[in-house]
Amino acid sequence: MTASTTIRPDQLPAPILGYLAAHMARDADAALRGFASTAVIVDDGTTYRGTDEIRRFLSKAGAEFSYTTDLVGAQRIDGAHWVVTNRLEGDFPGGVVDLRYRFAMDGDLIAELVIAP
């Protein structure tokens, strides 16, 4: 098992940085650019596969709430796996949550994203 390494956020791969910036700006099309056409996102127990399902997810994710997002941690697991921790604060139930965004890369594209507390 490979040990993770804490990194500065600017050391994340460009597609991950692009996704994070676009998602915070609620720009689904820009967020989608970093994903492979066969990518998978798992969030809140639901799996979204491929470009169309991921676009729908990105367009709706969190839209019913107002919240801020702060990147509070980043880790490199190995050359293809990265974890980003974001703290969300807003008017959703509980008001504050730290979410781990686990990315799996396939070359220069995101192949999988699992979002979980």
Side-chain angles (χ1 to χ4, degrees):
M1 181 174 195
T2 304
S4 65
T5 302
T6 299
I7 60 169
R8 295 186 324 268
D10 65 354
Q11 294 176 300
L12 290 164
I16 294 174
L17 289 172
Y19 162 78
L20 293 170
H23 192 55
M24 284 199 319
R26 299 185 192 232
D27 184 342
D29 288 331
L32 188 61
R33 287 186 198 121
F35 286 87
S37 63
T38 57
V40 173
I41 292 180
V42 179
D43 181 49
D44 201 25
T46 302
T47 300
Y48 305 89
R49 297 179 188 281
T51 303
D52 291 341
E53 287 185 14
I54 291 173
R55 179 180 283 112
R56 280 193 297 278
F57 163 75
L58 293 172
S59 296
K60 295 177 182 176
E64 66 270 26
F65 302 110
S66 296
Y67 60 91
T68 59
T69 303
D70 291 309
L71 194 155
V72 296
Q75 296 176 309
R76 179 180 187 263
I77 306 304
D78 57 34
H81 298 89
W82 308 78
V83 177
V84 173
T85 303
N86 280 322
R87 177 164 295 141
L88 280 61
E89 294 186 38
D91 61 2
F92 52 85
V96 178
V97 65
D98 285 349
L99 292 179
R100 292 170 49 97
Y101 292 64
R102 295 186 305 260
F103 292 90
M105 301 294 295
D106 182 5
D108 291 333
L109 294 172
I110 300 166
E112 181 180 70
L113 168 57
V114 177
I115 304 170

